[in-house]
Every structure is written in structure tokens, then in C-alpha cells.
Amino acid sequence: MSTTIVHLVRHGEVYNPEKILYGRIPGYHLSSRGHSMAARTAESFRGHDVTYLVASPLQRTQETAQPISKVTGLDVEIDKSVIESGNRFEGLRTKGWNSQLWNPQRWPLLRNPMQPSWGEPFEEIAARMVNAVERARDKAEGHEAIIVSHQLPIVMVQRTALGKRLAHAPWDRECDLASVTSLVFQDDQLIDIFYSSPAQDI
């Protein structure tokens, strides 16, 4: 029997002075704090037996993966299936009293938060992420793999692994910036899941 660990790393803080929902919009890079977060999380993998490193194609995940690449000595492979979830509110302010979601023209997209009706269905996100985890487990069998991705895709894996329903309230998520969700497999069976936040004090 072999033990394999697949680590899911969320990217660091993004430079977003307009405070919009950037989603899959290209060009959003890490802030200076985000780079510090990425470096701290990368250091947490020093001495680990990591043999496979993959990241979403978006700039913020690529930048988060770079210090991990330096620590592990691995090239960063790109996997489009671990990209941020699709969202029809990209480019809008979605929080606070200045939220553009107060516009009644956008309310039809809010009709079903259980799906959610404004973006990529939870089931589809979970399916592509679970498949990515399986590929990583297979490529790093007997060792460790790292997938650098985004909050909601990682949460979908967490909830799937824990047997929780995919629909949830955003404030119930445990997936801080630059955090690590680790899935432990015995052969192809998931036997444990644990969470850490190496950059929480930055």
C-alpha cells in the first residue's frame, strides 16, 4: 500500500483596489502582501516529498506557484480544470452598499443560490476538481502533489471529501488566502483531510 498526499493551495491576496469580482478576468496579480503569503506557504513545503506541481492558468495562481516551484525544484504545470469558477458577475462590485447587485436588472440571476444560478454549477466545479485531484494523486503516487487553485473550487473538494452538500453559505468556508487543504490517500482511498494556514499572520 502507498500513501499519497494531494495539497490544495489557495492563491495569495490579489491587488484589487476597485474591489470588483475579478473571477477569470486576466491580469489580476498578487499584491505585495500576496507575494509574502505565497513565499510563506511555499516555505511550509520545504523538506516535503513533492513530486508534482500544477496550477490554474490565471496570473494570481501562477505567481503563488512560483515560490513553491523554487522550494520544490519542480516546474509548474498548467491545468485549466482547476481554474476559478465561472461567474456572470465578473467585473462588478458585489459587496457592501455600493454593490451593483442592488440593480433589479441583475436579480433574475439570483433566483437559485443552491445551483448557483449566476455562475458555474457547484456540481460541475466539484467534478472537474475531483478529477484534477485524482490525476495529481496518480502522478505523485507514493509522494506528494500540490495544486494551486482558487477558493470555491477548493471548497468544493473539501465538501465532497467530507460528505457535505455542495450548496453552502460563503461565510461557512474554511479556505483562507494562501491556505493549504491536504488530502491523504491510502492507495486510491481518501483516508484523511486536514487544513492549515501558514500565512495567517501576514
Side-chain angles (χ1 to χ4, degrees):
M1 298 181 72
S2 64
T3 299
T4 307
I5 304 176
V6 178
H7 304 282
L8 300 171
V9 175
R10 184 184 173 193
H11 62 79
E13 182 186 79
V14 174
Y15 180 70
N16 180 22
E18 298 87 5
K19 299 188 183 302
I20 68 166
L21 179 67
Y22 41 77
R24 295 178 178 177
I25 298 173
Y28 277 85
H29 57 86
L30 296 184
S31 65
S32 58
R33 178 172 178 250
H35 282 288
S36 296
M37 289 176 162
R40 175 72 62 81
T41 296
E43 281 300 316
S44 73
F45 289 109
R46 191 171 296 280
H48 282 239
D49 184 23
V50 181
T51 60
Y52 180 66
L53 172 60
V54 67
S56 152
L58 294 175
Q59 185 172 347
R60 58 190 181 273
T61 44
Q62 291 293 311
E63 291 179 353
T64 301
Q66 283 307 309
I68 300 175
S69 173
K70 291 179 181 179
V71 166
T72 62
L74 298 170
D75 291 332
V76 183
E77 297 189 27
I78 295 176
D79 187 344
K80 294 180 180 179
S81 70
V82 302
I83 198 169
E84 178 65 280
S85 55
N87 194 309
R88 294 176 67 181
F89 294 141
E90 284 182 1
L92 301 180
R93 294 186 304 276
T94 59
K95 296 180 180 179
W97 290 109
N98 291 325
S99 170
Q100 291 172 282
L101 300 186
W102 292 112
N103 186 334
Q105 291 183 336
R106 298 191 172 95
W107 291 355
L109 289 176
L110 298 170
R111 67 187 181 278
N112 183 6
M114 305 296 284
Q115 185 180 28
S117 50
W118 57 83
E120 184 180 5
F122 292 134
E123 290 79 6
E124 293 181 11
I125 304 170
R128 62 177 171 83
M129 287 297 296
V130 167
N131 286 339
V133 168
E134 283 299 303
R135 287 194 299 275
R137 182 196 58 77
D138 183 63
K139 288 180 178 290
E141 186 173 2
H143 306 278
E144 298 177 52
I146 297 173
I147 299 173
V148 185
S149 186
H150 308 265
Q151 185 187 54
L152 183 55
I154 293 172
V155 168
M156 291 294 94
V157 176
Q158 292 173 339
R159 298 185 75 84
T160 299
L162 295 171
K164 296 182 177 181
R165 67 177 186 171
L166 298 180
H168 64 285
W171 51 85
D172 284 340
R173 297 174 184 171
E174 185 178 47
C175 191
D176 293 335
L177 291 166
S179 62
V180 183
T181 297
S182 302
L183 305 168
V184 183
F185 293 88
Q186 196 78 62
D187 290 336
D188 61 353
Q189 296 298 308
L190 179 67
I191 61 169
D192 200 4
I193 176 173
F194 55 94
Y195 174 87
S196 62
S197 188
Q200 64 181 347
D201 61 339
I202 294 177

